[in-house]
Amino acid sequence: MLGVTDLPTYLAGLVLIVLLPGPNSLYVLSVAARRGVRTGYTAAAGVWCGDAVLMTLSAAGVASLLQANALLFGIVKYAGAGYLSWLAFGMLRAAVAMWRARHERAAQGGQEGGEGESAGERPFRRALVISLLNPKAILFFIAFFVQFVDPGYAYPALSFVVLGALAQAASFLYLTALIFGGTRLAAAFRRRKRLSAGATSAAGALFLGFAVKLSLSSV
């Protein structure tokens, strides 16, 4: 479909990736819990705009690489596999830390995210900056998206548009759930450290699988 391969696997990986708590989603959750649904969507719009910029930069770079020679494709392939492996081990280390610290962190029980923030906060701008000040996201999009693009397809940029649109749709659904969940979801994450650690471990294992798959792929 438009140069996209193995779509079910991409969607499964995308769901797990989107569900992982990150600085963007946690910020949107915090804003919605403190200031309501409308302001939550304002922050979410900043996230979507920032991600769209990063995806566009990623697609432009990878499209040219896919049309280049096998050596350049191999460079980005192994760089991407290495980066995914680094992310996976980071997630597994974080999961171990969650298991060790879950009792101490649960005992703290304080409200997060509202300290030092005034009514003059600008959620859209802050969420946009959080997204754009994450240059590793560009390499992540390259490493993840390239696995699901047919390198023989005549218009690889179109394939990245499709993958990016699906990623934005998943992000919209997830952030909408966070916005309407608000304080209840925030409290659940604080209480269920074992669940957070388990989900992070599963995502780390999935990223290792993606790294192996990417390293074995060919032009």
Side-chain angles (χ1 to χ4, degrees), residues 19 28-29 32 41 170-182 185:
L19 289 177
V28 171
L29 176 61
Y41 270 113
S171 176
F172 174 82
L173 293 175
Y174 177 57
L175 292 183
T176 294
L178 289 184
I179 289 169
F180 283 96
L185 279 177

Side-chain angles (χ1 to χ4, degrees), residues 11-128:
L11 293 176
L14 184 62
V15 167
L16 283 178
I17 291 166
V18 169
L19 289 177
L20 276 177
N24 293 333
S25 59
L26 293 180
Y27 178 67
V28 171
L29 176 61
S30 172
V31 169
R34 290 181 289 106
R35 301 179 59 183
V37 170
R38 185 171 183 175
T39 309
Y41 270 113
T42 300
V47 173
W48 297 325
C49 288
D51 286 348
V53 171
L54 297 182
M55 288 179 191
T56 300
L57 294 175
S58 303
V62 175
S64 62
L65 284 172
L66 287 175
Q67 293 171 341
N69 59 42
L71 176 61
L72 292 178
F73 184 84
I75 291 172
V76 72
K77 177 179 73 171
Y78 288 114
Y83 178 63
L84 287 176
S85 298
W86 180 79
L87 279 181
F89 285 115
M91 291 177 185
L92 294 175
R93 287 196 303 269
V96 171
M98 288 179 193
W99 282 105
R100 291 177 177 173
R102 64 184 184 275
H103 296 303
E104 177 184 348
R105 295 175 66 184
Q108 292 176 358
Q111 184 89 12
E112 297 181 11
E115 298 178 1
E117 292 176 314
S118 67
E121 177 186 7
R122 298 185 179 182
F124 177 87
R125 185 173 66 181
R126 181 168 294 187
L128 179 63

Side-chain angles (χ1 to χ4, degrees), residues 114-145:
E115 298 178 1
E117 292 176 314
S118 67
E121 177 186 7
R122 298 185 179 182
F124 177 87
R125 185 173 66 181
R126 181 168 294 187
L128 179 63
V129 170
I130 290 173
S131 293
L132 294 179
L133 291 183
N134 183 19
K136 290 182 179 179
I138 298 178
L139 182 54
F140 169 77
F141 285 130
I142 292 175
F144 185 60
F145 283 9

